[in-house]
């Protein structure tokens, strides 16, 4: 299995959940629970700068809601960025506490570049 970069959102699937997230992001963006969503999405769609960055990555990328992530039982806080290296192996590259400190897409890209370089060198 090739390596796969996974972005696990602090959000859940389902129409009602998506509607609630959408409203929360617009009404009270500073208290929105998913910092990864807030950084990478505008009010309606993915930010173009983020989409371009994702396309430039040299690996498969997957976006997952926390209730659909198969490794969810071992994690308590979201969002996360993880690198799946096998069917049952995953390495968390960025924890929720780190993602929650990032304030811009530029910071997020820089941090991702850094952790990916370390994952491949280390």
């Amino acid at each position: 299995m090739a390596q796969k970069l996974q972005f696990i959102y602090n959000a859940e699937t389902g129409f009602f959940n998506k509607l609630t997230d959408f409203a929360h992001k617009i009404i009270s963006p500073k208290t929105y629970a998913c910092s990864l969503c807030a950084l990478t999405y505008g009010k309606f769609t993915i930010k173009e700068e983020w989409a371009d960055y994702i396309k430039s990555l040299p690996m498969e990328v997957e976006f997952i809601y926390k209730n659909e992530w198969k490794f969810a039982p071992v994690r308590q806080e979201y969002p996360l960025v993880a690198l799946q290296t096998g069917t049952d192996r995953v390495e968390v590259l960025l924890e929720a506490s780190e993602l929650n400190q990032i304030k811009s897409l530029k910071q997020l890209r820089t941090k991702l570049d850094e952790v990916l370089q370390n994952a491949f060198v280390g």
Side-chain angles (χ1 to χ4, degrees), residues 25-77:
K25 199 176 350 176
I26 290 174
I27 295 167
S28 185
K30 293 200 183 314
T31 62
Y32 185 59
C34 186
S35 58
L36 184 59
C37 299
L39 284 169
T40 60
Y41 277 80
K43 290 181 179 159
F44 300 106
T45 61
I46 191 168
K47 292 181 178 176
E48 188 176 343
E49 176 185 353
W50 178 243
D52 291 343
Y53 175 78
I54 293 300
K55 288 178 196 165
S56 75
L57 293 172
M59 68 192 72
E60 187 178 345
V61 175
E62 186 174 34
F63 299 94
I64 308 166
Y65 290 101
K66 68 181 181 182
N67 65 309
E68 292 184 329
W69 193 46
K70 76 179 204 173
F71 302 100
V74 300
R75 306 310 292 182
Q76 296 298 316
E77 294 186 41

Side-chain angles (χ1 to χ4, degrees), residues 9-120:
Y9 294 119
N10 189 22
E12 296 191 2
T13 54
F15 177 74
F16 181 74
N17 290 327
K18 289 179 184 177
L19 191 61
T20 303
D21 284 346
F22 172 77
H24 192 168
K25 199 176 350 176
I26 290 174
I27 295 167
S28 185
K30 293 200 183 314
T31 62
Y32 185 59
C34 186
S35 58
L36 184 59
C37 299
L39 284 169
T40 60
Y41 277 80
K43 290 181 179 159
F44 300 106
T45 61
I46 191 168
K47 292 181 178 176
E48 188 176 343
E49 176 185 353
W50 178 243
D52 291 343
Y53 175 78
I54 293 300
K55 288 178 196 165
S56 75
L57 293 172
M59 68 192 72
E60 187 178 345
V61 175
E62 186 174 34
F63 299 94
I64 308 166
Y65 290 101
K66 68 181 181 182
N67 65 309
E68 292 184 329
W69 193 46
K70 76 179 204 173
F71 302 100
V74 300
R75 306 310 292 182
Q76 296 298 316
E77 294 186 41
Y78 295 90
L80 298 170
V81 178
L83 186 64
Q84 186 172 354
T85 56
T87 307
D88 292 318
R89 288 199 55 220
V90 68
E91 176 186 352
V92 174
L93 301 178
L94 290 173
E95 298 279 355
S97 59
E98 295 170 280
L99 288 167
N100 292 338
Q101 298 302 310
I102 295 173
K103 302 299 181 206
S104 70
L105 267 180
K106 182 177 181 182
Q107 276 186 311
L108 178 59
R109 288 191 327 265
T110 300
K111 188 69 176 170
L112 276 169
D113 288 343
E114 179 184 307
V115 296
L116 286 171
Q117 183 174 357
N118 290 339
F120 290 117

